[in-house]
Amino acid sequence: MSLTSSQLVAQDVAVLRYKGGGDWYSNPTALPNLVKYCNDHIDTNINENIQTVEVGSTDIFQFPLLHMTGHGNVFFSDDDAENLRRYLISGGFLHIDDNYGMEPYITQELKKVFPNNELREIPKDHEIFNSAYNFPNGLPKIHEHDGKAPQAFGVFHEGRLVLLFTFESDLGDGWEDQEVHNDPEEVREKALKMGANIVKYAFEN
């Protein structure tokens, strides 16, 4: 899917709603702000009215990009996992942004989606780090939490990155309205630029 085609007809992106009790709805201003940033800076035409879609719904196939976040528990049924796998291998893209505390749950559930294809760290020279803006050191650190280095993990299918898991970074917090976390403008800009890279990569690959 190219950005050129997306200029003609507005694209939709969606937040992924999952089971397990985790707060899939956290960071409500994050994705709308990222979409507006992309429309203003990288010539996308994305609907700023963000939708919500269930993991197990066939509606996920309408969206070139799904965003998933939260702090805690995640559960995929077998049907959820199969639906998500079919979506990803047929051209979809999922960005999972750990809002701190999600990692042990999502890594376990992803084994249901790709039992023979584990998350692996994405090299810093991968296209996703320079598709719109250049991040030569890879994923930026947005929120400190426990001070660990940010890491980007992915699942690849036939050479294409189909799933991005951003860990120890908290990009979504940087996308939120400024007053939510009181991040300095340069931190928010860094988060939004990395988000724009994700959107551009997902739409073009």
Side-chain angles (χ1 to χ4, degrees), residues 108-120:
Q108 189 64 35
E109 294 308 289
L110 286 177
K111 291 175 183 175
K112 298 177 182 176
V113 182
F114 291 106
N116 302 311
N117 194 346
E118 300 217 343
L119 282 168
R120 65 180 204 247

Side-chain angles (χ1 to χ4, degrees), residues 31-62:
L31 207 52
N33 285 344
L34 176 61
V35 164
K36 186 176 189 316
Y37 185 88
C38 290
N39 288 344
D40 290 346
H41 292 88
I42 64 167
D43 297 325
T44 47
N45 182 18
I46 306 171
N47 188 348
E48 294 183 19
N49 180 26
I50 306 301
Q51 300 191 48
T52 299
V53 65
E54 304 266 355
V55 183
S57 170
T58 55
D59 290 344
I60 66 174
F61 291 86
Q62 300 173 23

Side-chain angles (χ1 to χ4, degrees), residues 48-126:
E48 294 183 19
N49 180 26
I50 306 301
Q51 300 191 48
T52 299
V53 65
E54 304 266 355
V55 183
S57 170
T58 55
D59 290 344
I60 66 174
F61 291 86
Q62 300 173 23
F63 304 101
L65 170 63
L66 299 174
H67 175 74
M68 178 177 176
T69 191
H71 295 85
N73 196 29
V74 177
F75 174 76
F76 294 155
S77 69
D78 290 344
D79 287 345
D80 291 342
E82 176 60 21
N83 195 53
L84 186 55
R85 190 185 73 82
R86 284 191 290 111
Y87 164 78
L88 293 170
I89 67 174
S90 66
F93 188 92
L94 173 61
H95 172 221
I96 306 171
D97 189 43
D98 189 339
N99 209 353
Y100 201 63
M102 184 191 213
E103 185 267 342
Y105 305 104
I106 189 61
T107 50
Q108 189 64 35
E109 294 308 289
L110 286 177
K111 291 175 183 175
K112 298 177 182 176
V113 182
F114 291 106
N116 302 311
N117 194 346
E118 300 217 343
L119 282 168
R120 65 180 204 247
E121 191 154 13
I122 299 170
K124 293 175 182 177
D125 61 356
H126 189 272

Side-chain angles (χ1 to χ4, degrees), residues 2-3 6 27 29 32 34 36 69 81 84 89 92 104 112 122 134-135 141 169 175 183 189 194:
S2 71
L3 290 175
S6 72
N27 291 7
T29 64
L34 176 61
K36 186 176 189 316
T69 191
L84 186 55
I89 67 174
K112 298 177 182 176
I122 299 170
N134 191 21
F135 286 87
K141 184 79 169 174
S169 172
W175 302 343
D183 287 327
E189 185 79 8
M194 184 63 221

